Amino acid sequence: MNNFSENDSSTQILEFKTQHGKLIGVDGGPVEVSWKLRSSVSGLEQIGYRIQASSDPEFKRIVGDTFEQSGSSQFGISCPGPELKSREVRFFRVAVRTQNGWTTWSNPIQVETGLLHQSDFSAKFIGDNSITGEPSPILRKQFLLSHAPKNARIYSTALGIYDIYINGTKVGDSFLNPGWTAYHERLLLETHDVTNLLRVGQNVIAAELSDGWWRGRFGFMNQIENYGTEIALFAQLEITDECDLATTINSDSTWKVSAAEIRQSSIYDGCLIDQNLSQPGWQLPEFDDSTWSYAVEKHHDLSALKPRTAEPVREVARFDLEIEKHHDRSLLRGSQNISGWVELTVRGKKGQKITVRHAEVLEQDGQLHTRALREAKATDAYILAKDGLQTLTPKFTFHGFQHADVVTDAEILKATAVAISSETARRGWLETSDKKLNRLHENVIWSQLDNFVSIPTDCPQRDERLGWTGDAQAFAATSNTLFDTQRFWRSWLIDLALDQHPNGDVGPVVPDLLRLKPENGVPGWNMNGRAGWADAATIVPMSLYEYFGDIKVLQNQLDSMRRWADALDARRKGEKFLPTEFQFGDWCDPDAPGDKPWESKVPADFVANSFFAHTADLLAQVELLVGDAANAKRYRDICSQLKQDIWLEMGEAASNTTAGCSIALEFGIVPDAERVRVAKKLADLVRRDKGMITTGFLATPLILHALSKNGHFSEAYMMLMRQEFRSWLYAIDKGATTIWERWDAIREDGSIHTGEMATEPGSMDEPSMISFNHYAYGAVIDWMYRNVGGIAPQLTAPGFTEVLIAPRPSSAIHFAKCRIETQLGMTSLDWSIGKNGDFEALLELPFGSRANLSLPITDQSEIFSNGEPIGNGQVVSYGTYNLRVTNPQIISI
Ligand code: BGC
């Protein structure tokens, strides 16, 4: 118990948790904790806290104590205590002080570290004995336990992807493990509690391996063996039994290995399972493995093994597929474009083959549209070994699809689409009076789920699925609003820094396949350090700071950010501007030639130098927060001078384009004195184009902000609500359930864009670029939460500690319900225009947060909060507010 005299029994600590989001296998870095509070007394604030760390759950052996700390922070707080050791279990608790006194201690939380040092590893990487070997070897090891296990952990990973089984039960509920990272420097080690899977007597640990990202065909040029020529398993099973005796079962050359029923398994192409080659019971003790070979040890640097820090890929949803029989196939019609696979229940006969092909959309004649897949075969096939009913699921692959077709003589009884994603908890909800806008929101949710598969991918279906840095930075803010993405991005940013080139350049994709094998790039293109792509190095961490108050990520990435900003500076070689070179530009500008998406209207040099200025700007802010003042000044100076020069020499030409105006306004390239003029120019261009989208990947996320922050809400809404071709809502009418890569992916006449691309001869067999699941344009959601929903985070009090409540009703939208589950709790605003024309809203703020009210007023408005008159601009704290504005401002479109 806390030994402070006055008690605050009205305040409760809720959801006390660590940054890890899991209890075991965590890394050895400082444990950061956060908590939510609730109080029955209004007006209370946290004025202090105390955190204790202990090696026992009763807190008898305290190993760290912050004692009383003053302050209102409730998240990202480092815990006291010595550095954690491998396998250590530690408990934490917090007590909070309000003006009324101390709360009781929170419930304790526990973390257990994984294996942190090379010296902890006794297991070896093992595989089969051929060079490129079996597509998917299986491995097993039988062992005897003479006493019941009290505690057992398995630490495992693979070169490739793998599943582990103990006595026939799969360990964990995730897929595609260990996921994709900068493998040579960081290969994720996973920890599972397997105590309940073991028993006295004979036990078997078994594993299946596949190429995955390690060895499989992957990347721009469909190259193979990006990381290595051999796949291998690493497993270290540590058991303590009831007599406290320790046993370790290591993967080593005493394991047995065999070929398996999986005859092909490729992320792009799908898998082929020949059940006739299956070896029933191979995961169980009774199985006779005397004909199997011994496994072979493989070399891999054990210092690369690092505990997993973000969620693995899990099943997130299931959808029934409608089965439509045709004479030559069965069409499986889906309702949602997903990443995942088809689970089939069939009644068949031995020897029958079942082939499942996947596609995102159907051609007008009902055939699957597979051109968009390029060279990804996205085909799963099964050969049955017995008669009767059975359920078929592919392995070690995933497809981006909504529909599928099945060719078989077997009878299909049921088809289910299984959706997977790197599980990140939902954070944002927004519903408005406009159904199409709601579907757009839903589509962005799905594009995020579908493209957060281990890494943030550009798209989940074609022979690409790479961590394109440009798409990632464009979508970061939106992703941070919709889901609790902090661990996901932190993890990816570690790889971004690891894969940074020696000169500080960031690659176009992370993990960077081209850094490993530069010869596999598109000939003649050096794609490192490209504007708006490499800047993910600064933009993504800053977004985590804004949406999660994550100071730690700024500290962790500071060196990477500096290296990138310095690389840009060095690239100038003392000149004013960056040298002219190939840029992706405002990629996919819809007015660019269809086959040359980089030839955007806005001049590439303007884009390049503006993103450089923006990176310097962000870094100057980060230096002030976690770096040093001298550096802050240096980057601030670079930024100010560059902005001036850009505006002087490139500003006018750029501001003839909507992208140029948007970038110039949002990055502060436009001098203050000219903002009004440039914003008006942008608004005029948008009006001239009747709200039609004329920007690409870099400027589309900015344009609505550039309009509305400069007073042009009408034009912002005009763009948002446009339904004709080249708008967000156009795709809704065409049945989209995810965000498309091109606005006209399905043309007005219903035909599908051919997506041709101009590429270097020989670089791609059938160049095309026409994905139906690219999240970049979904970045508009960030604008919607801030301006339609009316809740925005503030950089000055990040992590939604202070929110700006600024809903802007329009003639098109008369209600919105917006909720964001922040680290402090649920922040919600539910507003509508009442029958009498008043703006009415219910605002709920969690303990520890404040809101700055910027309500939609006119000169004639009066504002009331809980019946009392208030002024606009008022700051309110924890509580529930019934707000009313008479004669509100309604934006007309
Ligand atoms: C990807 C994009 C990416 C672009 C850059 C495309 O193939 O799908 O999303 O940003 O290449 O070149």
Side-chain angles (χ1 to χ4, degrees):
M1 269 297 294
N2 202 342
N3 52 4
F4 297 94
S5 49
E6 331 108 79
N7 282 335
D8 177 355
S9 52
S10 65
T11 304
Q12 284 166 283
I13 298 170
L14 313 165
E15 283 186 52
F16 178 45
K17 58 183 187 190
T18 75
Q19 82 270 31
H20 297 300
K22 61 175 178 176
L23 302 179
I24 66 168
V26 309
D27 66 23
V31 173
E32 301 156 52
V33 286
S34 63
W35 57 88
K36 294 176 183 169
L37 296 171
R38 184 171 59 202
S39 184
S40 53
V41 175
S42 62
L44 286 187
E45 281 167 31
Q46 174 186 303
I47 54 175
Y49 63 87
R50 178 176 179 180
I51 299 168
Q52 286 186 331
S54 164
S55 56
D56 68 292
E58 281 83 39
F59 286 77
K60 294 200 181 101
R61 294 187 301 272
I62 305 284
V63 296
D65 196 329
T66 61
F67 300 100
E68 181 175 352
Q69 298 290 319
S70 58
S72 57
S73 314
Q74 288 175 235
F75 51 79
I77 300 175
S78 293
C79 285
E83 201 174 307
L84 284 154
K85 300 193 193 65
S86 295
R87 308 178 184 85
E88 185 173 342
V89 179
R90 200 175 281 177
F91 300 84
F92 301 93
R93 63 181 181 180
V94 66
V96 160
R97 186 176 197 165
T98 70
Q99 296 94 322
N100 281 2
W102 285 90
T103 64
T104 53
W105 286 111
S106 66
N107 289 331
I109 42 169
Q110 167 186 351
V111 298
E112 178 185 316
T113 48
L115 302 185
L116 308 177
H117 310 289
Q118 209 170 327
S119 53
D120 296 320
F121 302 124
S122 43
K124 304 276 190 293
F125 277 95
I126 54 168
D128 65 7
N129 51 11
S130 55
I131 298 293
T132 43
E134 271 298 305
S136 194
I138 52 178
L139 298 123
R140 77 190 292 277
K141 168 82 186 178
Q142 187 150 333
F143 57 96
L144 179 72
L145 286 183
S146 18
H147 300 281
K150 190 172 81 181
N151 192 23
R153 299 284 183 264
I154 185 158
Y155 304 97
S156 58
T157 189
L159 311 178
I161 44 182
Y162 75 111
D163 278 334
I164 282 209
Y165 302 83
I166 291 187
N167 295 325
T169 302
K170 180 172 155 172
V171 173
D173 57 357
S174 52
F175 302 98
L176 304 169
N177 292 307
W180 190 10
T181 49
Y183 287 136
H184 291 309
E185 291 81 19
R186 182 170 177 258
L187 176 63
L188 297 182
L189 182 73
E190 309 183 279
T191 307
H192 289 280
D193 178 351
V194 292
T195 319
N196 294 334
L197 300 181
L198 295 164
R199 55 193 177 216
V200 181
Q202 290 294 339
N203 290 268
V204 166
I205 172 168
E208 287 173 294
L209 273 176
S210 169
D211 292 349
W213 296 279
W214 177 270
R215 185 175 74 172
R217 183 164 75 85
F218 222 83
F220 298 86
M221 307 275 287
N222 280 299
Q223 63 267 29
I224 56 164
E225 299 171 353
N226 281 301
Y227 289 89
T229 54
E230 297 181 288
I231 52 176
L233 170 80
F234 178 94
Q236 188 165 321
L237 170 59
E238 298 186 352
I239 307 160
T240 309
D241 68 21
E242 55 192 359
C243 312
D244 278 334
L245 286 175
T247 312
T248 301
I249 307 296
N250 287 322
S251 49
D252 60 20
S253 54
T254 65
W255 286 46
K256 294 297 217 43
V257 62
S258 170
E261 56 180 356
I262 301 181
R263 302 315 304 150
Q264 177 201 302
S265 65
S266 145
I267 293 180
Y268 285 165
D269 295 332
C271 85
L272 165 63
I273 299 180
D274 183 351
Q275 294 182 344
N276 297 295
L277 300 173
S278 81
Q279 306 190 51
W282 69 276
Q283 300 158 329
L284 299 172
E286 301 76 44
F287 183 80
D288 173 10
D289 63 15
S290 56
T291 59
W292 289 28
S293 335
Y294 281 100
V296 176
E297 285 182 16
K298 311 276 171 179
H299 174 75
H300 189 71
D301 182 3
L302 293 177
S303 70
L305 270 53
K306 301 282 185 302
R308 169 186 282 293
T309 53
E311 263 64 38
V313 176
R314 292 202 170 91
E315 178 182 324
V316 292
R318 284 180 166 244
F319 299 91
D320 284 341
L321 296 165
E322 217 177 283
I323 308 170
E324 201 179 277
K325 294 230 178 329
H326 294 257
H327 71 280
D328 55 344
R329 60 177 184 140
S330 293
L331 176 63
L332 308 180
R333 273 186 198 272
S335 53
Q336 176 60 52
N337 199 16
I338 60 162
S339 284
W341 49 78
V342 174
E343 187 183 278
L344 279 182
T345 306
V346 299
R347 187 178 293 120
K349 291 201 169 52
K350 180 175 165 57
Q352 276 178 335
K353 189 166 181 188
I354 296 157
T355 306
V356 190
R357 293 186 314 142
H358 305 75
E360 297 186 284
V361 290
L362 300 177
E363 299 285 355
Q364 282 166 312
D365 63 1
Q367 293 294 328
L368 296 187
H369 168 81
T370 53
R371 180 178 160 83
L373 304 176
R374 280 194 324 224
E375 288 170 49
K377 295 194 183 68
T379 302
D380 296 325
Y382 311 88
I383 301 169
L384 302 184
K386 57 178 194 286
D387 296 354
L389 202 71
Q390 56 186 306
T391 298
L392 306 169
T393 315
K395 281 216 144 178
F396 303 129
T397 187
F398 68 94
H399 314 292
F401 74 103
Q402 179 165 340
H403 313 289
D405 70 18
V406 187
V407 175
T408 186
D409 293 333
E411 186 189 354
I412 305 166
L413 301 175
K414 187 170 165 50
T416 309
V418 180
I420 55 161
S421 185
S422 285
E423 212 197 14
T424 46
R426 184 78 179 268
R427 198 183 195 208
W429 291 264
L430 178 63
E431 188 197 333
T432 73
S433 55
D434 189 277
K435 289 207 167 59
K436 289 188 187 170
L437 225 43
N438 297 343
R439 183 66 232 194
L440 172 68
H441 180 265
E442 190 66 11
N443 291 1
V444 180
I445 296 274
W446 275 103
S447 276
Q448 177 162 352
L449 285 170
D450 297 343
N451 281 299
F452 274 37
V453 176
S454 182
I455 59 153
T457 60
D458 54 338
C459 55
Q461 73 299 85
R462 66 180 175 226
D463 54 351
E464 193 142 359
R465 312 186 209 184
L466 300 166
W468 282 96
T469 43
D471 309 42
Q473 69 79 11
F475 191 64
T478 290
S479 76
N480 295 338
T481 306
L482 295 175
F483 289 88
D484 184 0
T485 48
Q486 197 176 3
R487 285 189 284 276
F488 179 84
W489 285 122
R490 273 189 180 192
S491 176
W492 182 72
L493 285 167
I494 296 173
D495 296 317
L496 181 145
L498 287 172
D499 270 350
Q500 232 164 316
H501 293 249
N503 69 351
D505 272 356
V506 176
V509 292
V510 170
D512 191 353
L513 287 174
L514 296 178
R515 179 174 158 263
L516 294 164
K517 290 194 163 182
E519 69 277 14
N520 285 331
V522 179
W525 276 19
N526 167 0
M527 296 200 275
N528 299 328
R530 299 300 122 163
W533 268 251
D535 301 290
T538 49
I539 295 174
V540 177
M542 199 57 172
S543 182
L544 287 178
Y545 175 68
E546 183 172 6
Y547 287 80
F548 295 94
D550 192 348
I551 275 277
K552 193 73 193 302
V553 79
L554 300 184
Q555 288 162 345
N556 294 345
Q557 299 301 127
L558 181 60
D559 175 61
S560 151
M561 293 188 222
R562 285 177 178 163
R563 282 192 287 142
W564 167 229
D566 293 346
L568 279 163
D569 197 26
R571 200 177 271 230
R572 292 197 286 185
K573 298 208 174 80
E575 301 290 320
K576 234 189 278 180
F577 295 123
L578 292 165
T580 298
E581 52 195 338
F582 174 84
Q583 295 289 350
F584 299 124
D586 189 22
W587 181 259
C588 275
D589 173 338
D591 296 311
D595 62 342
K596 293 186 180 136
W598 56 90
E599 285 190 3
S600 45
K601 298 185 289 294
V602 58
D605 281 341
F606 169 82
V607 174
N609 286 285
S610 297
F611 270 86
F612 175 13
H614 187 51
T615 272
D617 195 350
L618 295 178
L619 182 50
Q621 296 174 48
V622 173
E623 290 283 359
L624 284 182
L625 288 162
V626 297
D628 74 68
N631 272 338
K633 177 164 181 333
R634 187 162 74 85
Y635 293 119
R636 175 63 52 220
D637 289 347
I638 291 180
C639 164
S640 315
Q641 187 60 52
L642 193 55
K643 284 182 177 177
Q644 244 182 54
D645 293 339
I646 297 172
W647 188 248
L648 214 65
E649 296 190 30
M650 306 177 181
E652 216 37 61
S655 66
N656 289 328
T657 64
T658 46
C661 291
S662 304
I663 293 170
L665 287 163
E666 278 296 282
F667 292 176
I669 312 283
V670 183
D672 286 349
E674 298 206 51
R675 283 191 84 79
V676 172
R677 179 179 71 82
V678 175
K680 165 88 172 45
K681 202 166 169 183
L682 175 61
D684 288 345
L685 290 172
V686 168
R687 208 161 263 290
R688 181 198 69 190
D689 296 334
K690 300 192 174 59
M692 181 171 79
I693 289 170
T694 53
T695 46
F697 276 27
L698 296 186
T700 307
L702 307 177
I703 190 166
L704 298 193
H705 292 294
L707 287 165
S708 64
K709 283 189 206 162
N710 295 290
H712 297 286
F713 268 98
S714 281
E715 288 76 11
Y717 266 112
M718 178 188 270
M719 290 192 75
L720 180 69
M721 302 311 296
R722 182 182 159 94
Q723 318 219 352
E724 300 79 34
F725 168 57
R726 278 218 215 162
S727 67
W728 284 282
L729 299 186
Y730 166 81
I732 307 293
D733 279 336
K734 293 282 175 214
T737 60
T738 41
I739 303 300
W740 298 345
E741 182 178 28
R742 298 189 193 240
W743 299 107
D744 53 350
I746 296 182
R747 301 193 189 101
E748 282 172 301
D749 64 5
S751 62
I752 298 173
H753 194 296
T754 44
E756 42 298 278
M757 278 283 286
T759 50
E760 299 301 318
S763 65
M764 234 178 247
D765 276 0
E766 202 183 344
S768 86
M769 213 186 71
I770 191 69
S771 141
F772 293 85
N773 207 350
H774 252 67
Y775 53 46
Y777 287 136
V780 66
I781 291 295
D782 177 53
W783 189 89
M784 281 170 57
Y785 271 76
R786 290 167 183 260
N787 299 285
V788 182
I791 303 177
Q794 299 291 278
L795 257 184
T796 44
F800 295 92
T801 303
E802 181 164 321
V803 291
L804 178 69
I805 297 296
R808 291 294 176 264
S810 73
S811 50
I813 298 169
H814 54 88
F815 78 75
K817 294 179 206 263
C818 186
R819 284 185 294 150
I820 302 178
E821 180 68 60
T822 74
Q823 284 135 297
L824 298 169
M826 190 64 89
T827 299
S828 74
L829 182 72
D830 182 347
W831 66 259
S832 61
I833 301 299
K835 287 215 170 62
N836 58 0
D838 286 358
F839 168 90
E840 290 162 4
L842 180 68
L843 168 66
E844 290 183 302
L845 296 174
F847 196 113
S849 74
R850 303 180 295 281
N852 188 338
L853 301 182
S854 166
L855 298 169
I857 54 164
T858 57
D859 291 348
Q860 290 89 49
S861 294
E862 285 180 296
I863 314 175
F864 300 90
S865 169
N866 296 336
E868 302 289 325
I870 58 159
N872 219 7
Q874 182 149 331
V875 175
V876 295
S877 58
Y878 176 39
T880 301
Y881 303 87
N882 274 295
L883 303 168
R884 189 157 67 83
V885 178
T886 63
N887 298 305
Q889 183 200 26
I890 309 278
I891 313 286
S892 56
I893 301 179

